[in-house]
Amino acid sequence: MKKKYLALLLASTMTVSVMGCASNGASTASEPTSESEINSEEAEVEAAESETGENIETKEEETVMRNASGNVNLNQIGFMPKARKTVVVRGDNLSPEFRILDAKTDEEVFKGTLTGPVEAKEAAEMVYQGDFSDFTTPGNYVVKVSNDEESYPFEIKDGVYDDVLKEIFLFFYKQRCGCEVEESIVGKIAHGPCHTSDAQLYGTKEYKEVNGGWHDAGDYGRYVVAGATSIADMFMAYEDFPEIWKTDSVGIPESGNGIPDILDEARYELDWMLKMQDEATGGVYHKVTCIDFPGYVMPEAETKKLVIAPISPTATGDFAAVMAMASRIYRPFDKEFANKALEVAKKAWDYLEANPNMEGFKNPPEIHTGEYGDGDSSDERYWAAVELLKVTGEQKYKDYVAKALSGNVPFGLGWDTMGTYGNAAYLSLDESLQDAALKDKVLEACKNQANVYLNNVKTDGYMCDLGDNYIWGSNLSVCSFARLMLLVNKYCPEMKDMYTAAYDQISYLMGQNAVSYSFISGFGTNYTQNSHHRPSLASSSLVKGMVAGGPNGGKQDPCAGKALKDAPPAKSYIDHSESYSTNEVAIYWNSPVLYLLSAIISGE
Ligand code: G3I
Ligand code: 9MR
Ligand code: ZN
């Protein structure tokens, strides 16, 4: 039975957040608006009920009406019974006790003590922290503090993240381009094949068929470095958490074909990527898009000419890396594809070798879509070399890796910095392919870097690992930093703090943050509703399970620039559909959450 809910949002950003953005029906309040009904039957009922206010008084007489203040923040989805459970309370002069109440009956079930005040520097405020990990009884609860303010409700149960993980995965199917996206799976954003015309190779009169792949984000561009990031995350989730991802029954069209669904989904992107390689040279084109972003239309309505942007060294390096991984991972299921993947990966590598000083990608003057500019391809080359070494054992890759690691160890798990993918692959190599001294060097460097993030968690009021890195897509950094901590924990199991700190980032993403939002659409109570996502906007139905970019001190869109003018970095988030620099969604913001959640679920 659904709890009736009334939210009084007192968080400071929420009062400023309505100013300055054109009113397009987007809302910053917690109740879904007509524009943003959730795209599932059950949730549509929920949205409709809260819109009309019907039954707010309650259908179940004993249910207490809850009233969150926005000052008591925690994971709004909830916790697995044995997991770490925390709460962060805004304030600098609070009485330390807090209570857990049964959300329905108001019965007190646990008493705890807050510690603090602790500074949340990037949010420009002081907070208290509470830990109720010892409370393990399944149920629905709220945390209440001494001044009677309370949290959003949360649940404790086994499998509490199962639905959210499923929706986070299904997002990739919803982003498929060039095919029918079925209504029975996606509801209102169903569409027919889109972007099916041949694309012009920039600067030539030639056209090429490059159908398929995933739409990148809130736009319909298809970008190789972005796609490779998501594929790598899926592959890592599949290899590190096989118990979760061997499933063949999530509910995509390929379910039941004997191949794990996550590999079917990744294959959809890989098949497109194969078309993005120039057969003559092995170089890989950076992206295919129209020359401008379209309006807020469904994908089939973007019918302008598609243009293939020039080859870039970063796209070529990422392509080589994920194809090398694919040749290993798909071999038990599809030998022919595995062979093909290895062949094209090697060919891409040869291109890189022949072009050691190639410049990074820059948008040609006529093309205004996402640039994914990155002037340094050394991390992509390093990652590709390690993955190729892993599958071939060839000396030339070993030599390249040794040379690459003679300098600083690179880091990063994002579209622009791929070093940690390379490091994770290096640490996983068979000993015969590793150099013992280099392995130590990589692990030491990982520990040092992970310690920086651990220290961020320990010193931040919201236990966030970002430090001052509140950039465009900060939620990706939250996950990347957490994943480095998990990688260190994998090789140094005694470093338990690393695991705990990674867990804290799931809580951050699901509501334990300075803006009181669950950044995952449709999950939690005060969740992102007005995503910058064209299918959601064009169909007036918010897709469930999309991860927002998150707080961004750069505020690089006019909406955020105005509405968040005076907001500190950790509060520079606005749930408005025009704020693409804080509230867009992207495939490579979902995929790291997919990995991190899988890790947390498996770790319990
Ligand atoms: O790397 C620097 C860092 O050194 C510096 O400290 C920091 C301070 O601002 O900036 C970092 O650079 C940022 C860069 O992303 C790397 O993360 C830039 O400021 C920031 O403007 C840039 O934002 C990118 C944005 O496109 C604009 O180019 C986002 O990462 C990227 O996710 C986003 O991608 C867009 C696509 O272009 C189009 N499709 C949607 C997608 C999501 O919004
Ligand atoms: O919708 C676009 C989004 O996907 C990009 O991330 C963003 C930055 O490149 O740009 C968005 O498009 C906007 C464009 O840059 C400026 N005019 C308004 C467009 C839609 O909001
Ligand atoms: Zn499309």
Side-chain angles (χ1 to χ4, degrees):
M1 264 293 166
K2 187 173 99 62
K3 299 281 153 320
K4 289 299 153 224
Y5 198 76
L6 178 66
L8 273 183
L9 301 173
L10 300 180
S12 51
T13 49
M14 294 178 190
T15 38
V16 294
S17 62
V18 228
M19 296 154 40
C21 303
S23 164
N24 64 349
S27 153
T28 53
S30 67
E31 286 112 324
T33 63
S34 54
E35 177 194 60
S36 57
E37 291 156 4
I38 290 297
N39 199 12
S40 87
E41 227 174 76
E42 186 193 60
E44 269 175 10
V45 172
E46 199 174 315
E49 282 177 1
S50 49
E51 253 176 70
T52 56
E54 181 198 301
N55 280 337
I56 275 248
E57 287 303 310
T58 176
K59 270 180 196 157
E60 290 168 87
E61 271 166 30
E62 72 280 25
T63 301
V64 173
M65 194 161 80
R66 305 274 36 135
N67 186 358
S69 73
N71 286 329
V72 186
N73 291 304
L74 46 59
N75 186 329
Q76 295 168 22
I77 297 173
F79 309 88
M80 293 178 292
K82 287 188 222 133
R84 174 167 162 84
K85 306 177 194 73
T86 54
V87 59
V88 173
V89 189
R90 183 177 290 119
D92 55 9
N93 193 16
L94 297 178
S95 158
E97 69 272 14
F98 72 93
R99 297 180 298 146
I100 299 177
L101 309 179
D102 184 296
K104 196 164 137 188
T105 64
D106 231 18
E107 183 199 344
E108 181 181 310
V109 293
F110 185 87
K111 251 191 183 141
T113 309
L114 299 170
T115 54
V118 181
E119 188 179 18
K121 192 168 162 219
E122 299 299 312
E125 64 192 14
M126 302 300 284
V127 298
Y128 285 73
Q129 299 173 337
D131 186 325
F132 53 102
S133 306
D134 291 344
F135 181 66
T136 59
T137 314
N140 291 284
Y141 308 100
V142 297
V143 165
K144 198 162 192 158
V145 293
S146 59
N147 62 6
D148 275 354
E149 291 191 37
E150 67 181 49
S151 71
Y152 290 102
F154 62 95
E155 190 169 12
I156 297 180
K157 73 167 179 191
D158 279 324
V160 69
Y161 305 131
D162 290 358
D163 289 351
V164 62
L165 184 60
K166 178 179 171 182
E167 293 296 338
I168 281 174
F169 172 70
L170 283 176
F171 178 59
F172 293 88
Y173 174 71
K174 295 170 191 171
Q175 294 291 99
R176 285 192 196 183
C177 177
C179 66
E180 189 195 344
V181 171
E182 295 175 24
E183 190 180 356
S184 60
I185 305 175
V186 306
K188 281 194 188 169
I189 62 150
H191 63 80
C194 50
H195 302 108
T196 49
S197 57
D198 287 357
Q200 185 174 19
L201 282 166
Y202 176 79
T204 76
K205 293 201 166 102
E206 258 178 78
Y207 282 75
K208 189 170 160 50
E209 188 263 299
V210 287
N211 293 353
W214 300 312
H215 298 136
D216 183 49
D219 65 326
Y220 298 128
R222 286 166 289 153
Y223 308 81
V224 170
V225 296
T229 306
S230 288
I231 290 173
D233 292 346
M234 286 182 172
F235 283 168
M236 286 177 81
Y238 172 71
E239 291 200 301
D240 289 350
F241 315 110
E243 285 314 307
I244 296 182
W245 290 112
K246 69 183 178 199
T247 172
D248 185 25
S249 57
V250 181
I252 58 173
E254 295 83 357
S255 292
N257 68 356
I259 300 171
D261 285 342
I262 197 165
L263 298 187
D264 285 323
E265 194 54 66
R267 176 75 185 265
Y268 194 77
E269 180 78 355
L270 285 162
D271 283 344
W272 163 72
M273 249 187 215
L274 288 174
K275 301 178 185 176
M276 292 297 282
Q277 183 172 43
D278 171 33
E279 280 174 22
T281 62
V284 177
Y285 298 110
H286 196 69
K287 62 172 174 176
V288 55
T289 67
C290 296
I291 59 170
D292 284 307
F293 292 114
Y296 297 147
V297 296
M298 288 301 281
E300 319 92 292
E302 188 183 45
T303 51
K304 289 193 175 149
K305 185 170 74 182
L306 291 168
V307 180
I308 300 175
I311 291 171
S312 76
T314 48
T316 308
D318 286 353
F319 175 98
V322 294
M323 288 297 174
M325 292 174 95
S327 73
R328 196 180 72 243
I329 292 171
Y330 291 85
R331 192 158 296 279
F333 305 102
D334 185 344
K335 209 164 150 215
E336 201 182 313
F337 175 65
N339 290 338
K340 169 90 184 160
L342 184 55
E343 180 197 316
V344 298
K346 286 177 164 176
K347 211 165 156 184
W349 178 263
D350 293 344
Y351 180 91
L352 291 174
E353 244 183 2
N355 295 279
N357 302 314
M358 190 177 179
E359 272 193 33
F361 182 80
K362 283 212 175 69
N363 260 342
E366 304 87 336
I367 301 183
H368 307 119
T369 48
E371 182 166 71
Y372 291 109
D374 177 0
D376 180 2
S377 64
S378 62
D379 47 329
E380 287 81 2
R381 289 169 190 261
Y382 161 63
W383 177 34
V386 184
E387 297 292 359
L388 278 160
L389 172 60
K390 192 166 170 172
V391 283
T392 66
E394 282 176 30
Q395 190 64 35
K396 70 168 175 179
Y397 301 118
K398 203 171 178 185
D399 292 344
Y400 186 92
V401 171
K403 208 164 138 222
L405 287 174
S406 63
N408 286 339
V409 175
F411 288 103
L413 293 163
W415 61 262
D416 57 345
T417 50
M418 312 311 248
T420 304
Y421 290 113
N423 297 333
Y426 194 81
L427 293 173
S428 75
L429 286 177
D430 191 81
E431 256 180 48
S432 63
L433 297 174
Q434 278 172 336
D435 172 303
L438 286 181
K439 183 189 171 185
D440 289 349
K441 178 174 176 174
V442 170
L443 190 55
E444 268 317 295
C446 287
K447 278 195 217 168
N448 290 338
Q449 191 59 35
N451 266 318
V452 172
Y453 304 145
L454 181 62
N455 190 50
N456 289 344
V457 177
K458 288 187 169 164
T459 53
D460 177 55
Y462 287 92
M463 307 172 209
C464 179
D465 61 12
L466 280 176
D468 61 2
N469 290 291
Y470 288 84
I471 58 172
W472 190 322
S474 63
N475 284 339
L476 164 61
S477 303
V478 168
C479 296
S480 305
F481 297 174
R483 289 170 63 189
L484 184 66
M485 293 190 276
L486 288 175
L487 181 67
V488 166
N489 181 238
K490 176 172 172 183
Y491 290 95
C492 311
E494 73 287 359
M495 297 177 84
K496 296 236 172 351
D497 281 11
M498 295 282 179
Y499 179 83
T500 319
Y503 201 111
D504 292 336
Q505 306 321 304
I506 287 291
S507 289
Y508 170 89
L509 293 170
M510 295 178 174
Q512 186 177 283
N513 54 58
V515 291
S516 314
Y517 270 96
S518 160
F519 294 122
I520 306 175
S521 60
F523 289 93
T525 303
N526 188 44
Y527 51 77
T528 294
Q529 296 180 37
N530 300 295
S531 309
H532 185 82
H533 180 241
R534 282 175 172 76
S536 293
L537 291 168
S539 69
S540 300
S541 73
L542 175 67
V543 167
K544 228 178 162 177
M546 303 189 293
V547 178
N552 170 16
K555 310 168 201 194
Q556 291 113 316
D557 67 75
C559 173
K562 274 192 210 150
L564 304 169
K565 190 160 61 73
D566 301 318
K571 290 191 178 182
S572 294
Y573 168 76
I574 176 166
D575 183 20
H576 193 292
S577 61
E578 284 181 16
S579 181
Y580 49 81
S581 81
T582 77
N583 210 30
E584 189 163 359
V585 298
I587 50 173
Y588 56 91
W589 296 340
N590 261 52
S591 57
V593 177
L594 180 146
Y595 182 92
L596 189 56
L597 253 186
S598 304
I600 293 309
I601 292 170
S602 305
E604 221 28 44

